[in-house]
Amino acid sequence: NANILFNHPTINGTEINLLSAGSVLCQICSTPIGDTVTVVQRPLLNIPSIVTPGEQLNITCFAEPTTTDWNAELIYEGKTVPLSITQSNYNSDLQHWTLTTTIPNVDLYELYDLRVTASGGILDDVINAVRVIDSYKDSYYFVHLTDTHLPTHLFYEDTGSSTDESELNDLYEVIKDINLIRPEFVLLTGDLINEGELEDFECRRNHTRAIEMLKKFEVPVYLVPGNHDLGGWTATPPPQGTSRKEWWRFFGWRQPQIPPTRAEYYTHDYSFDYGNIHFTGLEAYDNYDSYMYDVYGAESFIPSQITWLQNDLAAAGSKKKVLFYHYDFKSELDLNALGVDMALWGHIHSDDGNINLVPYNLATAAVCDGKRAFRVIRVNNGTLQPQSTTRTHSNGDMLTINFNTANNGSLDFVSATINNKYSQSFGNGLVKFIMPISQYGYSVTNGTLEQVLVLETTATCYVRVSIPTGSVVTTSITKLNYPTGIDAIEGNNQKVNVYPNPFSNEIKIDFNISKEENINISIYNINGQLIKTVLNKKILPGKYTV
């Protein structure tokens, strides 16, 4: 949301009506409009950024060329991380600003909201825009989803279409599993919305409700549009082009009038890198209402899109390359010729392709119509390993978590049991325990305490849990009510410092030696048993931290 308005907004010279035409306009509708794209153009809820401390983050904004006093910050649960803007450059051709900042060290690794402010009363909040991680993993997994058809697969003219929310329920069941298994990110390949014309029309708020569902993901989601998102149905009263204009309104690409040489901005295409893999998302559509037919024709892809794609893949060099899009309607993409390692798509609502044949060319079954499907793609040291599609309810509820005690910050001991019926394991599972605040930390059984978010009256403890195939796993956490720290330090006249002391899950040991000698750092428990030898070797003089 933002309190800045643009006069006569256009995309490629075509004016956008910020209140789409319909029998009932927003001014007389009691249902509020969801978050639209205003100032910040990237990162967005649907095109987030994944960054590490010390890494550069670019923020693209639409604002007047005279705008000054740019500021940005990350926000999570009321905690803020100020971002120092080192550069702010205005592009007069595209009429947008690029703000450059470097991600600082953070106390919490999370999926943050982004807030940008500037002169003239500019204030724009973008939900789930920036995921800060400690480092890029060599081995991890991500998830492919497609065809959610929110909020209902019924069409405008069907009885009950205005009240049915069955597809919201289908997606929510998938989201719950994803938030528990904790992939690095999700690729969602279109047909997010069943009818892209019904945001303002009769106040159906299809886009608003879809965005509210996307906010429930606790991992980054990269979204590309499909034919239901962009194609206008002739049976639906809103005028030609309403679907595409609504996509621009809520998910970006609201470009000013631009020269023909920048024709790549006609379509919603983008790319990002995670480690040594390059991901490219493409718009795909069926132009049912023939909107701007001279540009888009009947169906994707347009020539400038293919040119952009070729340039984007060439710039990625030797990195592994993954394409994600809704559907190749005209069979234009030759994966071998493009040098692509994997393509992920949907539209057909069923699985297709061979998970053992490279380049992988894979469709995943739909989320909608009770299928509740998703595909896990594992990456092991840079090697892509797609898995068979899974369904959240193929044999009852396939993945559940039940807290055996109240998880509301009132108890010093909380446990949770995870039941995994899937035929694959998830090594990156995450359980968030809500605990009383402790000055002495917490003890975890069958899990690893990674970080703690201290709020006003409670602490959220992030416990990483490995979830094996077909397993029942119980993990628990206990608030410590006594110090856990270093009782004695034995050093041969070396300067030794430990901090913090007492500690919960991490302690640092600083020491300084003046001559070459053997150094042994070992950890014993209170009973004198050796837990671990951290260091035991001859080292040169100097200052060290373990």
Side-chain angles (χ1 to χ4, degrees):
N1 294 314
N3 58 357
I4 183 171
L5 297 176
F6 292 88
N7 294 324
H8 305 296
T10 61
I11 179 164
N12 305 318
T14 300
E15 185 169 332
I16 297 174
N17 178 8
L18 291 183
L19 298 176
S20 299
S23 63
V24 181
L25 294 180
C26 295
Q27 292 97 322
I28 58 174
C29 178
S30 60
T31 306
I33 300 172
D35 190 24
T36 58
V37 176
T38 51
V39 177
V40 177
Q41 306 296 300
R42 190 168 177 180
L44 298 171
L45 168 71
N46 53 292
I47 314 176
S49 291
I50 301 176
V51 288
T52 59
E55 188 174 358
Q56 181 174 294
L57 171 69
N58 289 328
I59 305 169
T60 304
C61 300
F62 270 151
E64 298 297 329
T66 56
T67 305
T68 59
D69 300 327
W70 288 103
N71 288 285
E73 60 185 359
L74 303 178
I75 303 172
Y76 184 82
E77 295 286 355
K79 305 287 186 180
T80 62
V81 179
L83 300 178
S84 177
I85 296 175
T86 55
Q87 294 184 55
S88 54
N89 299 316
Y90 183 74
N91 185 314
S92 57
D93 287 337
L94 297 179
Q95 300 177 26
H96 70 218
W97 288 84
T98 299
L99 313 179
T100 302
T101 184
T102 300
I103 300 298
N105 291 325
V106 296
D107 295 328
L108 186 75
Y109 297 106
E110 254 297 357
L111 181 58
Y112 285 88
D113 301 341
L114 172 66
R115 171 171 291 173
V116 171
T117 61
S119 63
I122 289 176
L123 187 155
D124 194 10
D125 287 332
V126 185
I127 304 299
N128 292 2
V130 180
R131 173 72 164 107
V132 182
I133 59 177
D134 57 347
S135 62
Y136 293 100
K137 299 175 181 174
D138 293 324
S139 296
Y140 60 94
Y141 46 85
F142 63 93
V143 163
H144 177 219
L145 301 180
T146 192
D147 294 274
T148 56
H149 290 270
L150 304 177
T152 172
H153 212 170
L154 296 174
F155 288 85
Y156 163 74
E157 62 272 19
D158 295 332
T159 301
S161 66
S162 63
T163 57
D164 181 62
E165 295 185 340
S166 56
E167 304 314 341
L168 296 177
N169 296 329
D170 285 342
L171 179 55
Y172 183 59
E173 290 301 314
V174 175
I175 290 174
K176 288 193 296 184
D177 281 12
I178 286 174
N179 287 344
L180 179 55
I181 68 174
R182 225 53 173 201
E184 291 299 289
F185 51 86
V186 169
L187 305 180
L188 205 169
T189 55
D191 281 3
L192 173 73
I193 295 166
N194 193 53
E195 288 190 272
E197 301 163 294
L198 302 182
E199 171 62 22
D200 294 337
F201 184 76
E202 296 181 352
C203 291
R204 297 220 175 181
R205 295 286 174 259
N206 284 4
H207 290 74
T208 293
R209 288 190 281 177
I211 284 177
E212 290 305 309
M213 289 303 298
L214 292 178
K215 290 178 181 178
K216 296 181 184 297
F217 282 98
E218 296 178 4
V219 298
V221 178
Y222 293 90
L223 172 66
V224 290
N227 55 301
H228 281 247
D229 300 308
L230 299 176
W233 305 101
T234 55
T236 310
Q240 177 184 8
T242 297
S243 291
R244 185 173 286 275
K245 292 173 183 178
E246 295 290 29
W247 188 267
W248 294 334
R249 178 185 177 193
F250 284 90
F251 299 112
W253 251 242
R254 215 181 107 246
Q255 301 293 332
Q257 186 171 356
I258 53 180
T261 54
R262 304 308 297 268
E264 61 264 31
Y265 285 106
Y266 282 127
T267 53
H268 195 253
D269 311 309
Y270 62 90
S271 60
F272 70 96
D273 291 337
Y274 185 98
N276 69 336
I277 300 183
H278 183 73
F279 296 85
T280 303
L282 295 172
E283 170 183 308
Y285 62 89
D286 234 332
N287 195 4
Y288 299 118
D289 59 3
S290 300
Y291 178 62
M292 292 178 66
Y293 194 86
D294 58 327
V295 172
Y296 297 109
E299 55 193 11
S300 59
F301 302 98
I302 63 176
S304 61
Q305 229 179 331
I306 300 300
T307 299
W308 177 88
L309 173 62
Q310 292 168 339
N311 293 336
D312 177 76
L313 295 176
S318 61
K319 291 185 176 183
K320 298 281 187 178
K321 300 174 180 67
V322 176
L323 297 187
F324 60 105
Y325 50 88
H326 184 61
Y327 188 67
D328 185 359
F329 289 95
K330 295 185 290 186
S331 300
E332 294 181 83
L333 302 178
D334 185 330
L335 302 187
N336 285 298
L338 290 168
V340 170
D341 300 277
M342 173 180 285
L344 298 170
W345 44 281
H347 183 66
I348 62 175
H349 291 211
S350 60
D351 292 338
D352 192 41
N354 188 335
I355 62 172
N356 298 308
L357 182 63
V358 180
Y360 304 107
N361 190 12
L362 303 173
T364 297
V367 172
C368 68
D369 301 330
K371 291 184 173 69
R372 301 178 179 182
F374 64 94
R375 187 190 298 276
V376 174
I377 296 91
R378 300 183 184 273
V379 181
N380 289 312
N381 294 318
T383 300
L384 294 158
Q385 298 177 345
Q387 308 297 300
S388 297
T389 296
T390 59
R391 302 190 181 201
T392 63
H393 288 78
S394 57
N395 179 23
D397 197 345
M398 298 298 288
L399 182 68
T400 59
I401 178 169
N402 293 299
F403 289 93
N404 305 313
T405 48
N407 187 40
N408 57 14
S410 63
L411 301 176
D412 287 0
F413 172 82
V414 181
S415 70
T417 298
I418 301 168
N419 189 346
N420 177 23
K421 295 181 181 179
Y422 287 124
S423 59
Q424 55 181 301
S425 62
F426 306 101
N428 200 44
L430 184 72
V431 179
K432 290 184 178 180
F433 288 103
I434 312 301
M435 301 294 292
I437 296 172
S438 174
Q439 62 175 316
Y440 300 122
Y442 305 87
S443 175
V444 171
T445 300
N446 204 17
T448 302
L449 180 61
E450 289 197 337
Q451 56 185 357
V452 178
L453 170 62
V454 178
L455 301 172
E456 290 186 0
T457 59
T458 61
T460 302
C461 299
Y462 292 63
V463 175
R464 193 68 63 181
V465 181
S466 179
I467 308 172
T469 302
S471 65
V472 177
V473 177
T474 297
T475 180
S476 63
I477 186 169
T478 304
K479 174 191 172 186
L480 298 177
N481 295 310
Y482 52 84
T484 300
I486 302 297
D487 294 328
I489 300 171
E490 297 179 5
N492 298 326
N493 298 319
Q494 290 90 9
K495 182 179 179 182
V496 181
N497 182 39
V498 295
Y499 58 96
N501 191 22
F503 68 96
S504 56
N505 63 325
E506 181 178 280
I507 189 166
K508 292 185 179 181
I509 304 170
D510 289 345
F511 61 95
N512 187 358
I513 61 173
S514 57
K515 64 180 182 179
E516 182 179 2
E517 58 183 309
N518 191 77
I519 298 295
N520 180 289
I521 298 177
S522 296
I523 301 171
Y524 298 80
N525 68 14
I526 198 169
N527 297 318
Q529 297 168 313
L530 177 65
I531 301 301
K532 183 177 182 180
T533 296
V534 179
L535 180 68
N536 185 16
K537 66 177 182 179
K538 183 174 288 188
I539 58 177
L540 298 173
K543 296 180 179 180
Y544 296 89
T545 299
V546 174

